[in-house]
Amino acid sequence: MNSNSQIELEAAAFRQLISHLQKHTEVQNIDLMILADFCRNCLAKWYMAAAAERGIDMDYDQAREVIYGMPYSEWKDKFQTEATTEQLAAYARKQESKS
């Protein structure tokens, strides 16, 4: 496979991941952090870093809008729930296991 084909496939898979996360708003970022050690905000930071590497001016809010499909404040108001005690404990265990 040539590099252009690889880039096209990676981009398509990334777009599908973003679409999937946008459709599944019931999946909270803390759940993603516990299970996969990344979340929508991580994706936004990686997206912003990729833009910066290519000389594209983009701030964190712009990157989060790409990932969330709307301004983060709107997503947070509509879909974000308070983390439960169990989620916070699981996240703390996850962080401890990394050290």
Side-chain angles (χ1 to χ4, degrees):
M1 174 182 328
N2 66 40
S3 63
N4 283 342
S5 293
Q6 182 178 352
I7 290 168
E8 288 176 15
L9 294 175
E10 290 167 349
F14 178 77
R15 286 190 299 271
Q16 186 62 41
L17 171 62
I18 298 308
S19 175
H20 185 78
L21 289 172
Q22 288 174 356
K23 288 176 187 166
H24 289 280
T25 56
E26 76 280 6
V27 178
Q28 296 294 300
N29 282 331
I30 188 122
D31 296 323
L32 291 170
M33 289 298 295
I34 293 165
L35 295 171
D37 208 26
F38 81 98
C39 69
R40 293 170 180 89
N41 291 323
C42 297
L43 287 169
K45 289 175 185 175
W46 300 337
Y47 194 87
M48 184 178 65
E53 287 173 6
R54 289 155 182 78
I56 299 168
D57 188 34
M58 176 177 289
D59 66 25
Y60 187 42
D61 287 333
Q62 291 170 316
R64 286 201 296 193
E65 191 163 339
V66 169
I67 301 303
Y68 285 91
M70 64 185 71
Y72 175 66
S73 59
E74 183 180 331
W75 190 91
K76 190 174 169 182
D77 289 342
K78 287 182 176 182
F79 305 113
Q80 186 166 311
T81 61
E82 197 68 35
T84 66
T85 303
E86 294 81 12
Q87 287 171 316
L88 293 172
Y91 179 72
R93 286 191 302 275
K94 177 80 167 192
Q95 296 307 304
E96 288 173 13
S97 73
K98 293 183 347 184
S99 38

